[in-house]
Amino acid sequence: MQGWVAPLDEVPDPVFSDRMLGDGVAIDPTDSAMHAPCDGVVASAAAHAVTIRTSEGAEILIHVGLETVALGGRGLVPHVREGEAVRAGDLLISFDLDFIATHAKSLISPVILINGDAFEITRTNLNREAARGDFLMEIRRRNGALTAESLSQKRVQREASVGFAHGLHARPAALIANAAKGFRASLSISFGGRAANAKSVTALMSLGVRQGDRVIVSAEGEDADAAAERVSDLLRTAAGEPATPRPAAHVEPVLIPATSPNEIRGICASPGVAVGPIHHLRTAEMEVDEAGKGISAETEALTRAVVAVRSRLAGSAEKGSRAQRDILHAHIALIEDTELRRTALVQIEAGKSAGYAWRAALRETISALEQLDDHLMRERAKDILDLERQVLAALSPDATAAQDVPAGSLLIAENVLPSQLVALGAKLVGICTASGGPMSHVAIIATGMGIPALVGAGEAVLASVEGSMAILNADAGVLLLNPEEHARADARARIESHRKLRQASLARAHEDCRTADGVRIAVFANLQSGAAEATAAIEQGAEGCGLLRTEFLFVDRAAPPPEDEQAAEYESILRALDGWPLTIRTLDIGGDKPVSFLPMPREDNPALGLRGVRVSLAWPDILRTQLAAIVRAGRSGPCRILLPMITSLSEIRAVRAQLKDIHGGESVHLGAMIETPAAAMIASEIAQETDFLSIGSNDLTQYTLAMDRTNPHVSAQADALHPAVLRLIAATAAGAGEKPVCVCGGLAADLLGAPILIGLGVRELSVPPSTIPILKSVIRAISTQQAQALARESSRQPSAEAVRELARQALSGVLP
Ligand code: PEP
Ligand code: MG
């Protein structure tokens, strides 16, 4: 452009002078033509502005005047189209100088380098009159290299196999992007023929990288070496990956039958039962105007909205549980994503409104994620949709006044967004969504809020009638639509009597538990956090801990906990148990339970791969440290060791050999979990080499029925009362001989299941602490003879449903 070249600071518009779009120069034109300043391809073309992308990737925006978008093309004649190749000097836009001067805010025309994170302006020619073709500015890739030789020295590539358990989903992508931002070097990650800016969360997510995939990390710049090293290291070790909370599906108990044709099946994402009127959450697409009201106004509006949402997210993160905090921090990283912002700003600059621009930027990422063959990534696309809505709501609060949800509603939706759940939670008795999975963020938040939730219920649930009544039995994976009045009353009565029975059973919670004919049943607690949980369990009447899931000590950290730390933790739990015994299960990771510091390979069938004791034997140092810590803790209270996922005697022998090497290790009791059909079938041999057995009915059901407990398509049918599972439990109890047999899976807490277990010969149950009082009450009301008769009949039933029906009848006078 012919004219006076001025610094950007002189442009009377903060969008440009504050460099919101990037650095550059401005030209006060004295001629009426804008020409290409370099060779390249037209990345975007509007009547008033053009962006050119050079072959090296630099993006330069040339903008005729200020607020010229409002002219709607008047006085402007574009000469190029998007995608067209141009040479330096080609005519891009011609314009009517006088018309622009009198109708736009200013004639001064910014020339901006948009992707300043990858390129930098090294020289400009300011404060002088320039003719077309004169030198304007020099742009260079951000690497600090001045010569081709040094450039090649500063370009570094590393290969890394990705260790993050679920690939580069939002939280790992945020971790990588944050680390990458700490370097001056430009960083990219290439996978599957595509490259993504490593400083952008959304770009990383859309690569669709999964655990075990090999990616190339490329860095260019002064600190390229350190940058490539750090990022590839993070990718490999997955250090800092937040814990993946366990799905709630393992929490039982099942209380209410649902056999009506109006029943819809789904997967339990948060346990419990609820009755209430259906309220559909209509997340209709929010309306946004396409046309903006000027670059300055729209950029400011977007910035304000993003800042507002960010500070709200930060506020909620501070107040929320640890799981909620992890999720909200990932949302904050997404909302701050530079690529999203740049894409939005380019749209605004092309004349679009802030809302339209934000939606367009996010939808690009959402559609990339939705294409991926990875259910977790598709779940995360919903998180981005959530951010879209939150920012749009902040942009036009009037249009999105909080939906009026009547208190006591049973919420039905295609999907509930995390922010909606946080906002509406207090008014809901339950949630049922058509899509979503048990690993979704909503599942985690609902569990934390104690709201029963069913997910993956399918489209049918969306056809339910607003205001009509329904019974949600999340434990049984069923939503019953339009139940008869008596069924509703029945469900309410059951919920109420369950509440009352719970209340009443608290009075005798601390007494020994004996069947009606006096047979002693030990009731332990399953623990998965620490001493505080143990104290609460004792208050509920626990006679110790039958299963300490030690995974909580190992997740969310860069290295496994050292022996001292573990021993101190076990000792503090022992103190809280106040003399009652503690059963410590060795690390049970793999499958649905990843930890960040182990470079676990990607597996096609993780549930059938490196899991439980297999992991411990593959990383013997971790096992040795844990065994030593348990042996140490055992000196201050009664401790026993439990090994997960046993399938053969050799595994037990390998652990025993390690225990022998630890001073005092031989005297600690060692038990095996019976969680595989193989273990159940050789229970007598296992019993001969161990001190006790503990049946993990959750996994035993998964492996017996070949139904993945984390797969929404089948997990609702994975019922531990299936006769095949019961027969394996019977075989275990028989094989154990005199050795104690405990059941620590969800079946032990199932009020229909526990009596059957007693009938099968089980004398120890380990359950979530809150179910202990009521479980003791139910056991006190039955005799072993009744239980044995029920168990015998149950094993002969054709299905789990039939077993449930039989048990319901047999226990009708006992259960709430
Ligand atoms: C089980 O599988 O039943 C069990 C108790 O172990 P977890 O649920 O921790 O896999
Ligand atoms: Mg298990």
Side-chain angles (χ1 to χ4, degrees):
M1 253 178 188
Q2 181 181 303
W4 180 259
V5 183
L8 265 193
D9 313 77
E10 289 180 13
V11 176
D13 183 334
V15 172
F16 296 107
S17 57
D18 291 353
R19 290 165 174 75
M20 288 181 191
L21 283 172
D23 202 2
V25 300
I27 304 175
D28 205 356
T30 50
D31 191 14
S32 53
M34 184 238 271
H35 300 267
C38 55
D39 296 352
V41 170
V42 176
S44 76
H48 66 291
V50 169
T51 303
I52 294 179
R53 187 180 299 119
T54 70
S55 57
E56 297 86 356
E59 291 186 358
I60 297 122
L61 161 75
I62 313 109
H63 195 278
V64 179
L66 298 180
E67 311 246 325
T68 37
V69 63
L71 300 178
R74 287 175 303 145
L76 296 149
V77 182
H79 294 278
V80 288
R81 282 203 226 128
E82 208 169 292
E84 209 172 294
V86 291
R87 306 290 306 239
D90 284 356
L91 182 62
L92 301 178
I93 296 173
S94 50
F95 49 91
D96 182 333
L97 206 61
D98 290 340
F99 183 84
I100 306 279
T102 50
H103 288 81
K105 181 174 175 183
S106 166
L107 254 177
I108 196 156
S109 302
V111 183
I112 305 290
L113 169 65
I114 297 178
N115 47 349
D117 54 343
F119 293 85
E120 61 189 334
I121 299 172
T122 44
R123 217 151 46 92
T124 50
N125 197 16
L126 294 175
N127 301 318
R128 65 183 61 225
E129 188 70 36
R132 172 153 72 93
D134 279 359
F135 172 74
L136 187 63
M137 61 180 167
E138 182 183 73
I139 290 168
R140 191 170 288 171
R141 201 180 272 281
R142 274 192 188 275
N143 53 22
L146 297 173
T147 64
E149 193 184 323
S150 62
L151 181 75
S152 65
Q153 283 168 6
K154 297 290 182 188
R155 192 178 275 169
V156 177
Q157 283 200 334
R158 294 263 187 286
E159 198 180 346
S161 160
V162 173
F164 290 102
H166 299 293
L168 288 186
H169 67 87
R171 284 172 283 166
L175 273 174
I176 299 286
N178 281 339
K181 283 180 200 157
F183 295 94
R184 278 179 53 77
S186 66
L187 270 156
S188 65
I189 293 179
S190 317
F191 173 71
R194 292 186 303 134
N197 178 355
K199 296 180 183 179
S200 162
V201 186
T202 51
L204 288 178
M205 285 168 76
S206 59
L207 282 178
V209 169
R210 299 214 208 162
Q211 188 182 40
D213 284 340
R214 300 194 75 79
V215 301
I216 304 285
V217 179
S218 310
E220 275 190 59
E222 289 159 27
D223 51 0
D225 274 324
E229 196 58 43
R230 171 88 181 112
V231 168
S232 54
D233 221 51
L234 262 180
L235 284 165
R236 230 183 340 260
T237 59
E241 180 174 38
T244 302
R246 95 184 10 260
H250 70 284
V251 187
E252 302 280 320
V254 178
L255 283 175
I256 296 177
T259 50
S260 140
N262 274 344
E263 70 178 38
I264 293 176
R265 294 209 158 254
I267 174 164
C268 176
S270 172
V273 178
V275 181
I278 280 182
H279 178 78
H280 284 268
L281 183 69
R282 307 250 180 240
T283 36
E285 186 99 325
M286 285 160 93
E287 299 266 321
V288 289
D289 289 337
E290 183 171 345
K293 299 192 177 93
I295 300 173
S296 176
E298 298 296 341
T299 308
E300 261 178 56
L302 181 60
T303 307
R304 254 199 306 276
V306 166
V307 167
V309 174
R310 191 203 180 286
S311 68
R312 199 172 56 230
L313 288 171
S316 306
E318 230 164 74
K319 285 184 250 133
S321 65
R322 183 184 181 143
Q324 245 182 59
R325 222 167 35 235
D326 282 348
I327 295 165
L328 295 173
H329 280 150
H331 285 191
I332 290 172
L334 276 169
I335 207 169
E336 288 175 338
D337 191 82
T338 47
E339 290 220 346
L340 275 183
R341 188 170 165 75
R342 187 188 308 139
T343 314
L345 288 177
V346 167
Q347 290 274 343
I348 287 179
E349 182 279 321
K352 309 295 186 200
S353 72
Y356 185 93
W358 181 249
R359 171 173 284 166
L362 267 70
R363 290 290 163 102
E364 222 175 84
T365 307
I366 290 170
S367 79
L369 293 179
E370 282 177 344
Q371 310 292 316
L372 299 176
D373 177 26
D374 180 326
H375 74 95
L376 198 69
M377 284 295 192
R378 291 197 298 268
E379 293 280 349
R380 296 309 176 249
K382 312 233 166 66
D383 289 24
I384 297 181
L385 199 61
D386 193 4
L387 290 179
E388 174 190 313
R389 293 186 59 81
Q390 290 185 63
V391 171
L392 293 188
L395 278 167
S396 54
D398 298 345
T400 56
Q403 244 193 50
D404 200 15
V405 176
S409 294
L410 214 163
L411 197 75
I412 305 289
E414 166 62 39
N415 194 53
V416 182
L417 302 172
S419 66
Q420 291 171 325
L421 184 49
V422 171
L424 299 175
K427 294 182 165 180
L428 308 179
V429 293
I431 300 166
C432 180
T433 63
S435 60
M439 307 276 281
S440 71
H441 285 157
V442 164
I444 297 163
I445 295 173
T447 307
M449 296 175 97
I451 303 171
L454 205 62
V455 296
E459 294 293 305
V461 75
L462 301 177
S464 57
V465 178
E466 176 78 21
S468 63
M469 294 299 290
I471 301 173
L472 176 76
N473 184 351
D475 302 320
V478 172
L479 176 75
L480 186 60
L481 299 175
N482 305 313
E484 303 272 327
E485 176 52 43
H486 70 85
R488 263 187 279 157
D490 197 35
R492 281 213 181 89
R494 281 165 190 254
I495 294 172
E496 183 53 19
S497 63
H498 186 268
R499 194 188 63 75
K500 280 201 184 127
L501 180 58
R502 217 187 106 63
Q503 201 68 30
S505 60
L506 276 172
R508 293 190 62 198
H510 292 272
E511 291 174 26
D512 273 3
C513 179
R514 292 181 188 277
T515 58
D517 54 334
V519 174
R520 179 84 171 86
I521 306 292
V523 182
F524 300 123
N526 289 348
L527 303 177
Q528 49 214 352
S529 61
E533 195 189 14
T535 306
I538 295 299
E539 280 164 13
Q540 298 285 320
E543 302 170 67
C545 166
L547 169 66
L548 176 67
R549 292 180 163 110
T550 57
E551 294 77 65
F552 76 96
L553 280 169
F554 290 77
V555 295
D556 203 8
R557 53 193 301 157
E563 185 186 318
D564 285 353
E565 184 186 332
Q566 286 191 57
E569 189 72 47
Y570 304 145
E571 280 159 10
S572 80
I573 295 172
L574 272 168
R575 274 195 300 280
L577 290 177
D578 201 18
W580 292 106
L582 170 60
T583 310
I584 303 177
R585 183 174 71 183
T586 55
L587 186 58
D588 181 22
I589 56 159
D592 62 320
K593 308 165 184 166
V595 294
S596 40
F597 55 83
L598 278 187
M600 304 266 291
R602 185 163 83 87
E603 298 171 316
D604 286 338
N605 287 307
L608 304 183
L610 272 179
R611 269 206 65 179
V613 75
R614 300 173 191 177
V615 172
S616 296
L617 294 175
W619 280 274
D621 288 349
I622 296 178
L623 175 62
R624 194 170 307 117
T625 306
Q626 187 169 31
L627 292 177
I630 300 173
V631 171
R632 233 165 90 180
R635 293 183 197 126
S636 59
C639 256
R640 55 183 194 175
I641 299 170
L642 181 57
L643 304 176
M645 290 297 299
I646 291 294
T647 50
S648 71
L649 296 174
S650 59
E651 292 157 339
I652 298 166
R653 289 174 189 162
V655 177
R656 270 236 188 269
Q658 284 218 23
L659 257 181
K660 261 196 197 131
D661 290 342
I662 297 166
H663 178 67
E666 276 164 313
S667 60
V668 180
H669 279 196
L670 182 66
M673 287 204 66
I674 307 296
E675 311 188 85
T676 61
M681 298 312 292
I682 58 166
S684 74
E685 286 82 354
I686 291 179
Q688 279 161 32
E689 303 212 8
T690 54
D691 301 294
F692 66 101
L693 304 182
S694 189
I695 299 172
S697 56
N698 307 333
D699 277 313
L700 186 59
T701 305
Q702 148 164 281
Y703 295 122
T704 304
L705 304 184
M707 287 178 177
D708 181 349
R709 64 196 265 192
T710 66
N711 180 336
H713 298 296
V714 295
S715 62
Q717 286 96 62
D719 191 334
L721 281 180
H722 191 291
V725 180
L726 297 181
R727 290 188 204 183
L728 286 168
I729 294 173
T732 304
E738 294 301 302
K739 297 276 169 73
V741 179
C742 181
V743 175
C744 61
L747 186 56
D750 183 335
L751 299 183
L752 294 177
I756 297 177
L757 291 174
I758 292 168
L760 292 172
V762 172
R763 295 292 176 263
E764 293 181 4
L765 301 170
S766 192
V767 298
S770 61
T771 54
I772 292 173
I774 198 166
L775 181 64
K776 284 188 174 181
S777 294
V778 169
I779 294 170
R780 287 185 186 119
I782 51 154
S783 68
T784 42
Q785 290 80 359
Q786 274 176 303
Q788 280 160 358
L790 174 59
R792 248 192 327 271
E793 273 301 297
S794 296
S795 300
R796 294 192 203 121
Q797 295 303 306
S799 65
E801 291 80 33
V803 175
R804 285 202 177 277
E805 192 46 44
L806 182 78
R808 226 172 271 124
Q809 283 168 14
L811 301 166
S812 60
V814 174
L815 293 182

